[in-house]
Amino acid sequence: MAGRELGWAVVGCGWVARDYVIPAIHAARNGRVVALCDRDPSGLGSLGTSDLAAVLSDPAVRAVYVATPNDQHMPVVAACAAAGKHVLCEKPMATHSADAEIMVAACKEAGVTLGIAYDQRFHAAHVRLRELVAAGALGTVTQARIFYACWLPPDWSPTDRSSGDNWRADPNRAGGGALWDLAPHGIDLLEVLLGGSWAELRALVQRRVHDYPVDDGAVLTGRFEDGTLGTIQVAYNCPDAYPRRTLELVGTRAMAVATDTMGQTPGGTLALIDARTGARSEVPVPGADRSPFLNQIEAFGDAVLAGRPFPYPSGRDLRLFTLMERSCR
């Protein structure tokens, strides 16, 4: 059994790791949690430590999920690579492209897999939508639109476990605000769904509501190499009570509408609207109740255990990160 399981360490045990990543590893058919590392290991149990070197020297640890603040991605990933550990790193890759390039180079030189944790690739509704696009169910896709937003004030904290350290509003630790945090998912996901590459991408940002030194909203517009236009709207200034998680692909045969599929949780709905009649039909989604994090952990584990490449190479993720950086800077 052990040979078919990947031993994981999680470095950076904030709310995403505690609420989604660690439970996903526990539930995975091919993984187990070996170590948990955080600057404050209290509450992590017997596996918890603040000693990264000890974690990386443990032979039972074969893969590391990096969920630290963004400015720590590069040094942690480089340390993992030097220790011969495979890495699945939270998005965005880093706070600037120079660090992202170091991460890719370090893992390549060490011969370990580097994946970036775009869990939306693995959401069951998005997997089904990708299949529909590839089968031609939408016809020629002309436009793609994503609205992905939340309410994140300066004093935001996810739970009462949090220290209240809202590093996402710190430009040095996060790299940026709503654009840096939320837009990477959409930039990646639209390429995955459409099966093509962005040719150009531009961004407009705002600091409209919240008093912090990063953007609290952004709109990105771009064009794919085949001519499809894409728009991604993200925000930290959208009240959570509003509809704020939608994805639309407009095609000549049908329009796809995914509602409440963007985000950390499974579920939501997927529908097609017929171009001739306007009739709307709900699309059944196999595995709709499975966590996208669980799907991602198992996919990464399958690749590492089989000795084959992860389906989403880090060089591609670096290209998308650099494209996003240039769009707003």
Side-chain angles (χ1 to χ4, degrees):
M1 182 67 176
R4 291 179 286 141
E5 287 184 335
L6 190 65
W8 284 90
V10 178
V11 178
C13 296
W15 72 279
V16 170
R18 293 187 188 224
D19 291 355
Y20 301 105
V21 178
I22 296 170
I25 298 173
H26 282 308
R29 55 173 166 72
N30 59 1
R32 62 190 178 100
V33 177
V34 175
L36 302 173
C37 184
D38 193 85
R39 62 180 183 177
D40 177 12
S42 61
L44 296 180
S46 60
L47 297 180
T49 181
S50 60
D51 189 344
L52 178 61
V55 169
L56 296 182
S57 66
D58 185 348
V61 174
R62 294 186 60 193
V64 179
Y65 195 105
V66 178
T68 63
N70 303 335
D71 65 323
Q72 293 302 303
H73 286 181
M74 185 276 286
V76 173
V77 169
C80 292
K85 311 300 184 182
H86 304 281
V87 186
L88 187 57
C89 180
E90 266 293 342
K91 58 79 213 165
M93 287 186 76
T95 54
H96 51 81
S97 57
D99 274 4
E101 291 170 359
I102 291 171
M103 293 161 59
V104 172
C107 290
K108 181 177 181 181
E109 181 178 354
V112 298
T113 300
L114 171 61
I116 304 303
Y118 292 116
D119 56 278
Q120 294 304 295
R121 301 164 171 167
F122 298 94
H123 192 289
H126 301 155
V127 172
R128 182 68 184 115
L129 180 53
R130 181 184 185 184
E131 294 170 348
L132 292 171
V133 173
L138 276 62
T140 300
V141 178
T142 59
Q143 296 197 30
R145 301 190 286 262
I146 285 177
F147 178 48
Y148 187 27
C150 64
W151 182 260
L152 194 141
D155 60 351
W156 178 85
S157 62
T159 70
D160 57 11
R161 292 180 310 214
S162 173
S163 64
D165 177 20
N166 185 14
W167 59 264
R168 288 170 177 80
D170 181 340
N172 294 318
R173 299 173 72 191
L179 186 149
W180 219 251
D181 185 26
L182 302 177
H185 277 305
I187 295 170
D188 169 79
L189 181 59
L190 290 184
E191 276 206 358
V192 170
L193 293 176
L194 299 176
S197 299
W198 291 97
E200 57 181 322
L201 187 66
R202 300 181 183 183
L204 293 173
V205 299
Q206 65 179 174
R207 288 174 58 193
R208 178 73 171 163
V209 174
H210 298 308
D211 185 20
Y212 43 53
V214 295
D215 60 281
D216 63 2
V219 176
L220 298 87
T221 58
R223 179 176 54 83
F224 284 78
E225 290 179 349
D226 66 358
T228 305
L229 298 178
T231 302
I232 302 169
Q233 183 179 355
V234 296
Y236 278 169
N237 56 27
C238 178
D240 289 340
Y242 293 163
R244 56 187 177 83
R245 295 190 293 157
T246 58
L247 186 161
E248 299 174 339
L249 301 183
V250 181
T252 54
R253 294 181 60 186
M255 176 179 176
V257 180
T259 304
D260 292 334
T261 59
M262 300 293 298
Q264 291 90 1
T265 55
T269 61
L270 177 61
L272 292 182
I273 301 174
D274 188 89
R276 295 172 300 165
T277 66
R280 180 186 179 105
S281 58
E282 299 297 318
V283 177
V285 176
D289 59 346
R290 279 178 60 91
S291 162
F293 287 89
L294 173 57
N295 293 337
Q296 176 177 241
I297 289 294
E298 290 189 343
F300 189 86
D302 283 343
V304 170
L305 292 170
R308 63 172 185 263
F310 189 52
Y312 302 96
S314 59
R316 171 190 175 276
D317 295 330
L318 175 60
R319 171 178 61 82
L320 293 180
F321 179 83
T322 303
L323 183 69
M324 182 190 75
E325 183 182 53
R326 290 174 179 170
S327 77
C328 58
R329 290 182 176 172

